[in-house]
Amino acid sequence: MARYLAKNVVEAKLASECEVQIAYAIGVARPVSVLVNTFGGRRDDEALSDKLQELVDLRPASIIERFRLKRPIYRATAAYGHFGRTAKDGYFPWEQTDLASRLG
């Protein structure tokens, strides 16, 4: 999810690079912290963190549902890594940049 959020921030041209950190606590569904660092991007990092949390449900169950992680996609994700691939045919949904238009 952190990669998905960071990719969308960059795609929205709010920063040339972005780092997203999400912290959870045992027994707490929502993250206890969402830290965004755009390394001097076009928008305040704290405001961007708030906007991302407003747009995307970051509870683990919602992440599983959003990316349909209970499907058997292990063979495709195990071959050649699961980051930096093109999202297609339902595989690698975390590589999509469909959120970028809503961030601007």
Side-chain angles (χ1 to χ4, degrees), residues 37-81:
N37 186 354
T38 58
F39 306 96
R42 292 183 27 210
R43 203 180 221 182
D44 175 62
D45 290 344
E46 193 170 324
L48 191 51
S49 173
D50 293 341
K51 180 69 172 180
L52 290 171
Q53 290 179 76
E54 174 187 315
L55 292 174
V56 180
D57 187 350
L58 297 176
R59 294 176 296 167
S62 296
I63 294 170
I64 291 167
E65 183 179 319
R66 180 184 196 100
F67 293 147
R68 297 178 48 222
L69 296 176
K70 291 195 175 185
R71 297 173 296 134
I73 59 174
Y74 308 112
R75 181 171 292 178
T77 59
Y80 307 108

Side-chain angles (χ1 to χ4, degrees), residues 1-2 6 9 11 16 21-23 27-28 30-31 37 41 64 73 77-79 89-91 93-94 96 102-103:
M1 180 54 77
V9 168
E11 181 69 23
S16 59
Q21 178 187 55
I22 306 171
V28 180
R30 297 209 181 272
N37 186 354
I64 291 167
I73 59 174
T77 59
D89 299 330
Y91 292 101
W94 47 86
Q96 296 176 354
R102 297 171 57 197
L103 287 173

